[in-house]
Amino acid sequence: MSAITDPISDYLARIRNAQKADHRHVDIPSSKVKRAITQILMDKGYIQRYLNVDDGNQGLLRIYLKYEANGKPVIRSLRRVSKPGLRRYVNARDLPRVLNGLGIAILSTSRGVLSDKEARTHSIGGEVLVYVY
């Protein structure tokens, strides 16, 4: 069995695949960074809720996906920005704006995982992990 070289890309792919299959929830192996990203997605209204499921190992995140009244997923796009082969860092002045403020960028900063708006408020930069809209 091969090891996953980019767990965040795997996390995003599982969410995209579950939405394409119209699943109500998806189970993903848990980590601190994945929990932090999931919390931001919930705070910003992209997912309904999530649970930490104890499986005896590292645990699972059970993410309940959110859909509009017409059945379309609320998350239109999840794009990995910084990859293991090419990291993308920004300073506080150059924080990205996704769809002119309609989407969010999720960053890993010295104060933890934050959305672009929170990082702008604290005037800190970091590694750009994901664009969501």
Side-chain angles (χ1 to χ4, degrees):
M1 186 169 161
S2 66
I4 298 172
T5 57
D6 189 6
I8 296 174
S9 288
D10 178 63
Y11 167 87
L12 300 174
R14 286 176 189 241
I15 291 175
R16 279 192 294 265
N17 291 341
Q19 285 181 318
K20 284 184 181 179
D22 290 327
H23 291 209
R24 293 291 145 207
H25 67 83
V26 59
D27 290 340
I28 300 171
S30 182
S31 73
K32 287 182 184 179
V33 174
K34 292 177 193 177
R35 276 194 298 273
I37 292 171
T38 305
Q39 182 64 48
I40 291 172
L41 290 176
M42 190 177 84
D43 292 343
K44 300 298 181 183
Y46 287 103
I47 61 173
Q48 287 180 351
R49 62 190 170 103
Y50 71 97
L51 300 172
N52 290 311
V53 178
D54 184 22
D55 68 346
N57 293 327
Q58 68 187 26
L60 293 173
L61 280 173
R62 178 164 291 157
I63 300 173
Y64 290 89
L65 304 171
K66 194 173 188 179
Y67 294 91
E68 296 174 355
N70 61 4
K72 299 259 184 191
V74 171
I75 298 174
R76 301 267 190 251
S77 174
L78 287 169
R79 199 176 109 220
R80 179 78 159 115
V81 179
S82 184
K83 299 174 181 161
L86 181 61
R87 302 288 184 185
R88 298 286 183 181
Y89 296 96
V90 295
N91 59 30
R93 293 184 311 274
D94 300 328
L95 287 169
R97 291 180 55 84
V98 180
L99 283 182
N100 208 17
L102 295 177
I104 62 169
I106 299 176
L107 292 93
S108 176
T109 68
S110 58
R111 294 193 184 175
V113 179
L114 302 173
S115 71
D116 58 337
K117 294 173 186 169
E118 294 165 337
R120 219 173 263 111
T121 302
H122 297 298
S123 295
I124 54 175
E127 181 182 358
V128 182
L129 299 175
V130 182
Y131 288 160
V132 184
Y133 57 90

